[in-house]
Amino acid sequence: FPSHDMVLELSKSKYYENNVVFVVGDVTRANRVEEVFQLYQPNAVFHAAAYKHVPMMEANAKEAVRVNVEGTRVVAEMAVKYQAEKFVFISTDKAVNPTNVMGATKRAAEMLVQLVSTKGKTQFITTRFGNVLGSNGSVIPLFRKQLENRQNLTVTHRDVVRYFMTIPEACQLVFQAATLGNGGEIFVFDMGEPVKIYDLAVKMIKLSGLTPGRDIDIVETGLRPGEKLFEELLSDKENTLPTPHPKIMVAKVQQWKEKDIREQLDTLCYQASNGASDMELVGTLKGLVPEFKSQNSVYSQLD
C-alpha cells in the first residue's frame, strides 16, 4: 500500500516517465532480488527494508532475523555480484547495546555488511540514526490519530526519551554519508538533544487547541517488551571521528574475528528458516551480539 501511494505521488512529477520503476518483491527471495539487479544494474543501493516495530519483533524473532539479517545478506551479496558502486545500509540507534530482538538483528546486519564489504569493489556504508518524525509507525501519526478521535494520548513511560529528525533531514544526511563514505564505515548522525515523549504529547495537545489534563489526558501504559527508557547512538566500546560534514561522525567499532562471525551468522540464518524455536534463535543472536541484554522480555532468562 505505501508503494501504491508513492506511485500516485511521484507520477504527478514531470520527471516520473522513464525515470522511476516500481518493483514488488521480497528481499529474502534471492532469485527475485537477482532478477532486479540483473535487469537494472544499479550503481547505488539504499537498503532500508526491515521490520522495525520493537514489541512485534520481540514476539516474532524468526521473522526479524529472516528479513533484517538474511534479507540484508541477500541484497548485499547481489550488490557485490553485480558490482554496484555503493551500498548504503540504513541502521538504527537501537542497534547500540540492544535490549530487544529488533535492535540486535540490526546490529547483526551491521556486522554482516562490514563482513561483505571485504568481498568486492562495492563500497559498503552504514548509517545509524534515531526516529524519523512522521515515518510509518512513528509516534506523531499515533498521537494525531488519538487527538482526532478525542482519545487519551498514550505513552509507555513518563521518562522515555528519543532522538528525532525530520524526513528531509534524514534523507539528506543519508545521501551525504553515501558520498562521504569510502567503504566499511558506520556513520552516526548528530540527532541534537533527545526529546521526552511525554513533553511531545503535551505540545501536540496544546497545538490542537486543547488543554492537557482537562480536555485530553496522557496515560502511561508501561514499558513494552524490549523497550528502553533512552536510546544510544554509540556503544561503550566505540568512539567517533569527525567528517567534513558537521552533523556526521564516523563510529570506531570494535573488531572481531571474521571466521567466528561468519559461522554465527550462517547458523542464525539457518535456524530462522529451519524450524528452530525463537528461544534457540535468540540464544544464537546473543552469542553473535554479546552486548544484547534483553529488557522486560521472555528472553531475559538467556542473560
Side-chain angles (χ1 to χ4, degrees), residues 2-241:
S3 293
H4 173 66
D5 264 358
M6 200 177 284
V7 171
L8 294 178
E9 181 185 337
L10 293 184
S11 60
K12 296 170 190 170
S13 167
K14 63 180 179 181
Y15 302 109
Y16 179 77
E17 206 66 39
N18 302 319
N19 286 305
V20 181
V21 179
F22 281 85
V23 177
V24 176
D26 180 336
V27 291
T28 67
R29 287 177 57 212
N31 289 346
R32 180 62 173 142
V33 175
E34 181 151 25
E35 281 178 354
V36 177
F37 271 82
Q38 210 167 33
L39 188 57
Y40 296 106
Q41 303 282 325
N43 298 102
V45 178
F46 293 85
H47 179 57
Y51 283 135
K52 66 174 189 173
H53 192 270
V54 169
M56 286 187 74
M57 292 307 100
E58 207 69 10
N60 296 277
K62 278 196 279 286
E63 287 304 293
V65 170
R66 192 181 67 83
V67 172
N68 294 2
V69 184
E70 179 61 19
T72 300
R73 188 211 293 265
V74 168
V75 182
E77 290 183 347
M78 289 302 168
V80 171
K81 184 173 180 178
Y82 288 90
Q83 299 186 0
E85 292 169 26
K86 298 267 187 179
F87 181 102
V88 182
F89 173 56
I90 311 298
S91 190
T92 170
D93 52 2
K94 293 176 178 63
V96 182
N97 293 326
T99 58
N100 50 65
V101 169
M102 193 284 280
T105 58
K106 292 295 277 186
R107 177 60 189 139
E110 288 183 354
M111 296 163 81
L112 188 150
V113 164
Q114 289 189 296
L115 205 59
V116 178
S117 70
T118 61
K119 283 187 173 182
K121 295 178 180 178
T122 306
Q123 295 178 342
F124 283 85
I125 294 141
T126 294
T127 61
R128 192 192 275 169
F129 53 99
N131 300 280
V132 179
L133 284 168
S135 62
N136 284 346
S138 68
V139 73
I140 298 270
L142 170 64
F143 284 167
R144 192 180 293 130
K145 190 174 181 181
Q146 289 173 330
L147 284 166
E148 285 171 1
N149 296 325
R150 284 301 181 98
Q151 296 171 327
N152 292 331
L153 267 57
T154 52
V155 298
T156 57
H157 193 287
R158 191 182 186 96
D159 296 325
V160 162
V161 293
R162 293 289 181 265
Y163 291 97
F164 286 102
M165 61 170 48
T166 64
I167 291 172
E169 281 178 319
C171 293
Q172 285 175 352
L173 288 173
V174 166
F175 285 136
Q176 290 276 1
T179 58
L180 285 171
N182 295 312
E185 304 98 335
I186 294 180
F187 286 111
V188 180
F189 296 168
D190 179 0
M191 300 287 296
E193 292 300 314
V195 175
K196 206 179 248 194
I197 303 296
Y198 189 91
D199 293 345
L200 188 61
V202 170
K203 283 182 183 176
M204 285 194 68
I205 292 170
K206 289 179 177 176
L207 286 169
S208 300
L210 304 170
T211 303
R214 187 187 72 191
D215 303 316
I216 298 269
D217 287 327
I218 300 172
V219 178
E220 289 184 68
T221 57
L223 287 174
R224 298 168 299 180
E227 191 173 25
K228 291 183 185 182
L229 278 177
F230 61 92
E231 302 295 354
E232 305 158 83
L233 288 172
L234 286 172
S235 77
D236 296 336
K237 294 181 181 177
E238 294 172 337
N239 52 35
T240 58
L241 296 172

Side-chain angles (χ1 to χ4, degrees), residues 98 222 289:
V289 185

